Amino acid sequence: MKPVINSHLDYRRFLNGVGGMYRINWRSKPPAIREIYLRFRELDLSAVDRIMQDQYSSRGPEPRSPSCMLRSLLLMIVMNVVSITRWVETLHTSQFFAILSGFQPWDIPGVGTFYDFIDRLWNLTTPNFSSHYKPPVRKKVKKPKEKGQKAASIKKESVADLIIRLSQTAFSSDKEAYGLLFQIFRTCFLDESIRRGKVNPDQLHIAGDGTPVVTAARFRSHHTCDCWKTGNFTCDCNRYFPQPDCSVGWDSSRECWYFGYDLYLLTDADSELPLFPLFHAASKHDSHGFCEAFFRLRALAPDLKPAVLVLDSAHDSMAMYSLCQREHIAPYIDLNLGNTRKTSDYHGVLIGPDGIPVCNAGLKMKTMAMISNANTPSVAAL
């Protein structure tokens, strides 16, 4: 059966009715728990039941409410529980969290029900982007020479070529693995932030950066051949990778290697609210991660108009400035002072390593404010 579409008012009535039946007084809870209760009581997830209608069959028993399932998973994250099995045990032992999720204390979903709901949020027929069986990885990320710098990209494709390719690609939420999740995020969270005036869709000030997401302690793969029996451990036969979409990357803030993903997050620079998160392999450079996220956000949310970009030095390239000029976006990008070039030519204008234009005489150009201050006599001279 299709899930029943419940309104947010139905959820509020459920909290009051069932909570009173079990004599649960949220005001007697610690301040942190009271804050969580009030936050989830105001969180309207009723649109999830409507968005996920096509993910369920018209036959069979009545499924769990998608809005309650998602609310329970969000509550699990807020409570810092990293295991679904442990979270189900918590729901069985705590009537408070069960009712706050939207479940009757005597009717808690099982572990398999939660995993089945997570599978419905994934648009692809395969659980991974790439196959588990592929050749061994030979090309790895190189450690940067200076402290605090990010590792260079291992991709042969330049940022300029990537921008051209992505600008010619038609992105659709139906074809993206995260398409359903983005619809839920846009409807229940981003649109609500716009409605409350937290995010200005006509003048977006976008900030972007990558965040390491560790999934395992080390890079793992298994031999699929018998070459290792003869002592050949470096053969080119295919390996089995348990996590085929992960890779090894360099964490510049902690100065260490890690295995997992790189979460590139576009946020609103004014309110610091998220706009578009996108997972990549850990080896992907931040400049490539920004391009992948930016063009997808522009295609999936064309009503959002970026006006300002705030990025770090990993995005300092002429291709990025050309993109901002073409899109009429004001860039605020930290200069990459570790760049080996002394000057660069941009449409016939020489740009110094500090980003200041250089005239034909080899002197740095000055702003009108600096010239006016230099021509104004000081108080001491008067």
Side-chain angles (χ1 to χ4, degrees):
M1 292 179 59
K2 299 289 186 180
V4 178
I5 300 178
N6 297 313
S7 65
H8 185 59
L9 182 60
D10 294 332
Y11 170 70
R12 295 284 296 268
R13 291 171 178 170
F14 174 83
L15 281 182
N16 296 332
V18 180
M21 183 186 305
Y22 286 89
R23 298 182 179 180
I24 295 178
N25 185 10
W26 61 272
R27 293 181 177 84
S28 62
K29 302 292 182 181
I33 301 299
R34 292 202 302 266
E35 181 182 356
I36 292 175
Y37 177 86
L38 295 175
R39 189 193 313 173
F40 275 80
R41 189 181 65 174
E42 300 298 328
L43 178 60
D44 185 2
L45 296 178
S46 57
V48 179
D49 297 334
R50 173 181 52 81
I51 294 174
M52 297 192 64
Q53 286 289 310
D54 295 337
Q55 304 301 317
Y56 292 85
S57 174
S58 57
R59 300 181 180 181
E62 181 180 345
R64 297 282 184 173
S65 174
S67 58
C68 294
M69 297 295 295
L70 180 60
R71 186 182 296 107
S72 185
L73 290 175
L74 293 176
L75 186 58
M76 181 186 74
I77 296 174
V78 171
M79 297 304 299
N80 295 323
V81 180
V82 296
S83 171
I84 292 181
T85 303
R86 293 183 179 179
W87 178 243
V88 172
E89 295 176 355
T90 302
L91 294 178
H92 278 284
T93 56
S94 174
Q95 297 176 349
F96 176 80
F97 291 118
I99 296 174
L100 187 57
S101 298
F103 304 131
Q104 291 282 356
W106 49 266
D107 188 19
I108 304 299
V111 177
T113 306
F114 278 99
Y115 280 108
D116 177 71
F117 174 76
I118 294 175
D119 290 340
R120 295 178 190 273
L121 297 174
W122 185 255
N123 273 1
L124 299 183
T125 56
T126 57
N128 301 101
F129 289 107
S130 56
S131 173
H132 286 278
Y133 299 93
K134 51 188 177 180
V137 179
R138 302 299 184 193
K139 191 173 183 180
K140 299 182 180 179
V141 180
K142 294 183 179 179
K143 183 178 179 180
K145 297 180 180 180
E146 297 185 10
K147 185 177 181 180
Q149 285 190 348
K150 298 189 177 182
S153 175
I154 63 174
K155 293 287 185 180
K156 295 182 180 180
E157 187 177 25
S158 64
V159 177
D161 294 338
L162 179 62
I163 291 176
I164 295 175
R165 178 171 63 84
L166 293 176
S167 61
Q168 299 173 352
T169 304
F171 297 101
S172 174
S173 60
D174 298 334
K175 299 180 181 179
E176 299 292 340
Y178 53 83
L180 191 63
L181 271 174
F182 181 75
Q183 292 182 34
I184 295 174
F185 170 75
R186 176 67 197 269
T187 305
C188 299
F189 298 95
L190 185 55
D191 286 348
E192 184 66 18
S193 299
I194 295 175
R195 187 185 67 83
R196 297 189 180 190
K198 300 295 183 179
V199 176
N200 184 4
D202 299 324
Q203 291 288 327
L204 273 184
H205 294 182
I206 299 179
D209 198 8
T211 302
V213 179
V214 181
T215 61
R218 62 186 180 89
F219 189 81
R220 292 185 177 182
S221 64
H222 307 290
H223 287 270
T224 58
C225 59
D226 296 334
C227 297
W228 61 274
K229 294 181 180 180
T230 61
N232 184 9
F233 293 94
T234 58
C235 64
D236 293 330
C237 300
N238 284 347
R239 304 283 201 273
Y240 176 82
F241 294 85
Q243 296 176 307
D245 297 330
C246 297
S247 63
V248 177
W250 174 257
D251 188 349
S252 58
S253 61
R254 297 176 178 83
E255 297 288 332
C256 65
W257 300 100
Y258 76 97
F259 177 76
Y261 297 98
D262 176 76
L263 173 61
Y264 198 93
L265 181 61
L266 296 178
T267 61
D268 182 69
D270 298 327
S271 61
E272 298 183 358
L273 293 174
L275 297 176
F276 189 82
L278 189 62
F279 273 105
H280 305 286
S283 58
K284 185 177 286 290
H285 195 262
D286 275 357
S287 59
H288 289 238
F290 166 78
C291 295
E292 297 279 359
F294 176 78
F295 280 96
R296 283 174 169 80
L297 174 64
R298 195 181 65 170
L300 301 180
D303 56 316
L304 302 181
K305 308 299 181 183
V308 174
L309 279 183
V310 182
L311 305 171
D312 60 13
S313 59
H315 307 78
D316 181 24
S317 65
M318 299 308 298
M320 203 69 70
Y321 296 116
S322 300
L323 172 65
C324 293
Q325 185 180 27
R326 186 171 69 250
E327 299 291 336
H328 303 288
I329 299 174
Y332 290 84
I333 303 177
D334 192 14
L335 296 176
N336 185 6
L337 300 180
N339 204 322
T340 56
R341 68 177 187 272
K342 295 182 179 179
T343 57
S344 59
D345 192 342
Y346 181 68
H347 296 290
V349 179
L350 293 178
I351 307 296
D354 53 0
I356 301 177
V358 180
C359 68
N360 296 332
L363 301 177
K364 294 182 179 180
M365 295 185 181
K366 297 182 179 180
T367 63
M368 293 300 298
M370 297 173 63
I371 297 175
S372 301
N373 293 335
N375 295 333
T376 302
S378 62
V379 177
L382 294 176

